[in-house]
Amino acid sequence: SQTIHQWPATLVQPVGSPLSLECTVEGTSNPNLYWYRQAAGRGLQLLFYSVGIGQISSEVPQNLSASRPQDRQFILSSKKLLLSDSGFYLCAWSDQGYEQYFGPGTRLTVT
Amino acid sequence: RKEVEQDPGPFNVPEGATVAFNCTYSNSASQSFFWYRQDCRKEPKLLMSVYSSGNEDGRFTAQLNRASQYISLLIRDSKLSDSATYLCVVNPASNTGKLIFGQGTTLQVKP
């Protein structure tokens, strides 16, 4: 069966510091991968999606970036965090466009 | 107009009640539809897909009306454990598998 991992689970970072969040999927090949952010009390905002290694599409212009160095690895990064980057970051995978399955998320607080 | 609209609630119902959530979507070309459940501070989890003919899974029934661009979720015999936020989700006919999430409807089942 497929599983999706995210780490870290929680993170507290100062403004201006870098960020790296990692997501890995097991038990499937060539999944579509997604990064979402959910601000407190808000809905899910799609940040990036990827349909293959090295293929990244950005949904919202901001100071975040994403990379997919391996088929089942998806990384979310920032060079300098802003206060507004605080939120619940969720990685998801899907099998060629159907239901999406989410990882447990990373709760980021920028101070 | 939002792509997917839901009544945010909250819906406060007693145990054993029947409750219905509605959702409308703006893109008439949308291909597939889902309901997700999100518990407080957790990741969304797929509750059920919504099929054109309507479908049922235990106490949960989902209906789709393509002509009215309307999706519903009915929960019968509500349990305390049903308390959560229910997200209406639409695939807008994209081959990337991008999903559009509603803001969610919050359900609180009281003893």
Side-chain angles (χ1 to χ4, degrees), chain B residues 2-107:
Chain B
K2 290 182 182 177
E3 292 183 85
V4 178
E5 291 203 64
Q6 296 182 250
D7 179 349
F11 284 59
N12 295 300
V13 303
E15 269 188 293
T18 295
V19 61
F21 304 140
N22 303 319
C23 167
T24 57
Y25 60 96
S26 60
N27 185 344
S28 60
S30 297
Q31 291 183 336
S32 47
F33 310 88
F34 312 95
W35 284 101
Y36 279 71
R37 169 195 169 126
Q38 186 173 24
D39 291 291
C40 188
R41 300 179 67 82
K42 297 287 190 180
E43 75 273 24
K45 293 186 178 178
L46 179 66
L47 179 65
M48 57 197 303
S49 300
V50 186
Y51 303 122
S52 295
S53 55
N55 48 301
E56 185 175 309
D57 182 2
R59 297 182 293 108
F60 299 83
T61 301
Q63 295 280 353
L64 169 64
N65 184 322
R66 285 189 182 273
S68 301
Q69 295 177 208
Y70 169 97
I71 307 158
S72 65
L73 177 68
L74 182 76
I75 305 176
R76 292 180 299 278
D77 188 22
S78 299
K79 312 291 185 190
L80 294 176
S81 58
D82 293 333
S83 298
T85 296
Y86 291 84
L87 305 173
C88 175
V89 184
V90 174
N91 178 345
S94 163
N95 63 0
T96 62
K98 289 166 53 178
L99 298 180
I100 307 298
F101 285 77
Q103 294 280 78
T105 298
T106 299
L107 171 66

Side-chain angles (χ1 to χ4, degrees), chain A residues 4-68:
Chain A
I4 178 169
H5 305 278
Q6 283 187 248
W7 62 92
T10 60
L11 193 59
V12 180
Q13 292 283 101
V15 167
S17 63
L19 174 74
S20 181
L21 303 180
E22 189 163 344
C23 169
T24 58
V25 182
E26 296 176 357
T28 186
S29 295
N30 195 30
N32 288 353
L33 296 172
Y34 309 85
W35 277 113
Y36 291 87
R37 178 171 60 203
Q38 188 173 36
R42 306 288 295 275
L44 274 74
Q45 179 186 33
L46 179 62
L47 302 175
F48 300 95
Y49 67 92
S50 172
V51 299
I53 295 174
Q55 300 178 62
I56 308 294
S57 296
S58 173
E59 287 294 294
V60 182
Q62 55 204 324
N63 68 322
L64 299 172
S65 62
S67 62
R68 184 170 177 174

